[in-house]
Amino acid sequence: MNKENTTYAKDEEPPVRMTRARAKTLSSLGGIPPSSRPSFKHEKKQRPRANPKRAASDTNKTSVITTAGLQHKKRAVLNDVTNISNEKICLNSINISKAQASTKARGVPTRKQTKAASDVPVENKLVQEDVKTKLAEELSKIRMVEAQESTLPVKLEEEELVQQDIDMICDELGSSRGPGIVDIDSDLKDSQLWSLYAPDIYDKICVTELERRPSTKYMEKLQQDITPTMRGVLIDWLVEVSEEYKLVPDTLYLTVNLIDRFLSRNLIEKQRLQLLGITCMLLASKYEEICAPRVEEFCFITDNTYTRGEVLKMESEVLNFLHFQLSIPTTKSFLRRFIQASQSSYKAPCVEMEFLANYLAELTLLEYSFLKFLPSLIAASAVFLARWTFNQSDHPWNSTLRHYTSYSASDLKTTVLALEDLQLNTKCCSLNAVREKYKQQKFKFVANLTSGKPVQTLFY
């Protein structure tokens, strides 16, 4: 041991390591003596040598933690994002800013000021901690009061506003109707019915059925290898296919619409007519069904006459020709609305009348001659004839049906008479898939019903 170290140990206390905070504090009290100033050379000697391997491992750990933190943020789920919680957050932020403004007015330092003064002596730190605790207590009291005041009144105000809107809409709908017209859209509280938007929706699809209807004379003007009878045989077979796979009626109606729209502009050979039929049913199933049949099932139903590649090629051809416009109003789209308007005149819903109207509408799918009638006109005529079949003592058409269908009884004369011929099967058509379908118990045997008095007597 050398002499300097022994004398230093006897006369003086061991040197205290000088930090920046300590140096700043001492300088504010009167300056730092030269002998007590830190020696950077001394610090450099006492500082341990950095381990490069450990530094690399530390950086890897921090990078892993950072990526884990980012992944956790992306996977975060917002449990409650209602309007009430958002209002509470906004109110709390406003209250915090008000509290900060009030503390500034009283001379209390804010959070930024306390953070900037973190290097002052210990006495100032104690004062800041007291201020923080008081500020926290004030904010907690403000939040509790706001939470109690804002929860119940906000809910009550929202319910009152919703009820006022419903009442106002009901008044508007009631004022737009004429005398004797039943409001079938009065149940605005049931969101499943879309009653508020139903009139606008049906106004829109009435325009669409005119824009995208198939040609009414494509057999005479374009097609050379197929006939209306071949078309009827194809659709009669597709009715059986839809029953086999338990498809919804909308799929069948859309299938026939796609077939007619494609045949209106494309020449096709009779060998490929069945391929067109199953391809259009495949497209309609994808559009309407929850679980559509696979391509292989449609190939199987044709006894593997067509391969999977041929069906997919035809599917692409049909979609490109139609420009992917599959949202088309069919007779079934209007039939739901018109049956709802028809049931308003009954004390209890008549299920048999609904089945009979659907039966009459499906009979028209097989007939090429019914392409000259609009889907809405066919749906209104089916309701007209179904009501007459069940009750000949009263006129089947009333002001409510006239209002919601936009057709008068005289407008329906030609279509109703043609539809009655289909019901009576005056032409002895051998295509019986629809008739056999509605002769089942689940449809109340409505295919066996006929009207005792001819409907033509109503139009004299």
Side-chain angles (χ1 to χ4, degrees):
M1 184 180 293
N2 58 13
K3 189 182 292 184
E4 291 179 0
N5 290 336
T6 55
T7 56
Y8 185 77
K10 290 180 182 179
D11 298 335
E12 297 179 0
E13 294 179 359
V16 179
R17 185 175 179 180
M18 188 65 65
T19 62
R20 293 182 180 179
R22 185 179 295 276
K24 192 172 183 180
T25 304
L26 292 175
S27 62
S28 63
L29 294 175
I32 305 174
S35 60
S36 62
R37 293 185 181 275
S39 175
F40 294 102
K41 185 177 182 180
H42 180 69
E43 286 186 1
K44 188 175 181 181
K45 288 181 180 179
Q46 292 183 353
R47 187 178 300 156
R49 180 177 294 179
N51 190 356
K53 294 182 179 180
R54 185 176 179 182
S57 63
D58 291 339
T59 55
N60 292 332
K61 288 181 181 179
T62 55
S63 63
V64 170
I65 292 171
T66 306
T67 55
L70 290 173
Q71 291 175 358
H72 180 68
K73 184 177 288 187
K74 288 180 181 179
R75 291 168 64 102
V77 179
L78 299 178
N79 294 323
D80 189 9
V81 288
T82 58
N83 293 330
I84 296 175
S85 63
N86 290 335
E87 289 177 1
K88 288 182 180 179
I89 293 171
C90 295
L91 288 172
N92 290 335
S93 62
I94 293 170
N95 293 329
I96 291 171
S97 62
K98 288 181 179 178
Q100 290 178 354
S102 62
T103 52
K104 284 181 180 179
R106 293 198 302 266
V108 180
T110 60
R111 184 180 295 176
K112 292 182 179 180
Q113 292 174 351
T114 55
K115 186 176 181 180
S118 60
D119 296 330
V120 299
V122 179
E123 294 179 356
N124 293 334
K125 289 183 179 180
L126 294 175
V127 173
Q128 291 173 3
E129 289 177 357
D130 294 336
V131 171
K132 286 182 180 180
T133 55
K134 291 180 180 179
L135 181 60
E137 290 176 359
E138 291 179 2
L139 292 176
S140 63
K141 290 179 181 179
I142 293 171
R143 289 174 182 174
M144 289 176 63
V145 172
E146 290 292 340
Q148 293 175 358
E149 292 178 355
S150 62
T151 304
L152 292 176
V154 169
K155 291 182 179 179
L156 292 174
E157 289 177 1
E158 288 180 351
E159 292 177 358
E160 291 176 359
L161 290 174
V162 170
Q163 189 60 40
Q164 290 176 3
D165 292 340
I166 292 175
D167 295 339
M168 181 180 65
I169 293 169
C170 289
D171 294 336
E172 290 178 356
L173 290 175
S175 61
S176 63
R177 299 190 306 272
I181 297 175
V182 180
D183 182 16
I184 65 174
D185 298 318
S186 59
D187 192 5
L188 296 175
K189 296 180 181 179
D190 189 357
S191 59
Q192 299 278 339
L193 295 178
W194 294 94
S195 302
L196 178 61
Y197 309 104
D200 294 332
I201 291 173
Y202 280 92
D203 289 342
K204 175 63 178 178
I205 64 176
C206 283
V207 177
T208 308
E209 72 170 346
L210 292 170
E211 294 175 348
R212 299 178 185 175
R213 63 181 304 190
S215 173
T216 60
K217 296 182 179 180
Y218 65 81
M219 286 290 183
E220 297 83 0
K221 293 184 177 180
L222 178 64
Q223 301 300 328
Q224 301 175 2
D225 203 22
I226 61 174
T227 62
T229 304
M230 293 180 185
R231 174 189 175 276
V233 172
L234 172 65
I235 296 173
D236 186 73
W237 174 74
L238 289 174
V239 173
E240 296 179 352
V241 174
S242 65
E243 283 290 292
E244 179 70 22
Y245 290 131
K246 295 180 173 57
L247 304 180
V248 297
D250 301 78
T251 302
L252 179 62
Y253 282 93
L254 182 57
T255 300
V256 177
N257 179 272
L258 297 178
I259 292 172
D260 289 326
R261 288 167 62 198
F262 186 82
L263 292 177
S264 297
R265 297 287 183 86
N266 295 274
L267 186 66
I268 196 170
E269 301 84 9
K270 60 183 178 181
Q271 292 83 5
R272 301 178 70 236
L273 183 61
Q274 189 180 17
L275 174 62
L276 175 64
I278 62 170
T279 302
C280 291
M281 182 161 277
L282 173 65
L283 288 170
S285 300
K286 290 180 179 180
Y287 187 84
E288 297 287 354
E289 301 291 332
I290 297 175
C291 297
R294 295 179 294 116
V295 181
E296 291 78 9
E297 294 182 77
F298 285 106
C299 295
F300 172 77
I301 207 71
T302 62
D303 198 15
N304 294 319
T305 305
Y306 308 102
T307 63
R308 185 176 186 273
E310 289 176 323
V311 175
L312 294 179
K313 183 179 178 181
M314 177 61 76
E315 180 184 26
S316 176
E317 187 177 347
V318 172
L319 284 174
N320 287 319
F321 168 74
L322 298 176
H323 302 288
F324 291 82
Q325 294 177 349
L326 303 182
S327 182
I328 302 297
T330 62
T331 303
K332 185 65 177 178
S333 305
F334 295 98
L335 201 57
R336 288 191 179 92
R337 178 78 166 170
F338 298 165
I339 289 175
Q340 184 183 0
S342 176
Q343 300 281 16
S344 64
S345 61
Y346 297 140
K347 295 180 180 179
C350 183
V351 181
E352 289 83 358
M353 193 278 295
E354 181 178 352
F355 288 152
L356 182 57
N358 281 282
Y359 163 64
L360 295 172
E362 283 191 27
L363 285 176
T364 62
L365 294 176
L366 284 73
E367 297 295 326
Y368 168 76
S369 59
F370 271 80
L371 287 177
K372 61 186 177 184
F373 302 121
L374 289 172
S376 59
L377 186 62
I378 295 174
S381 301
V383 172
F384 186 103
L385 186 57
R387 286 172 61 89
W388 175 251
T389 303
F390 276 99
N391 184 14
Q392 289 92 32
S393 61
D394 193 12
H395 199 283
W397 215 239
N398 53 35
S399 57
T400 301
L401 284 166
R402 178 186 174 89
H403 172 75
Y404 287 104
T405 62
S406 301
Y407 292 114
S408 62
S410 59
D411 297 332
L412 305 177
K413 178 180 178 180
T414 305
T415 313
V416 169
L417 293 178
L419 198 57
E420 187 185 30
D421 290 339
L422 288 182
Q423 184 186 19
L424 300 175
N425 197 14
T426 56
K427 296 181 180 180
C428 298
C429 181
S430 60
L431 304 176
N432 294 322
V434 177
R435 302 182 191 276
E436 294 298 326
K437 173 183 175 180
Y438 282 92
K439 284 181 180 180
Q440 301 178 47
Q441 170 65 35
K442 62 179 180 179
F443 294 112
K444 305 295 183 182
F445 311 106
V446 294
N448 299 325
L449 297 177
T450 55
S451 59
K453 190 185 296 184
V455 71
Q456 190 173 2
T457 58
L458 297 173
F459 302 104
Y460 287 154

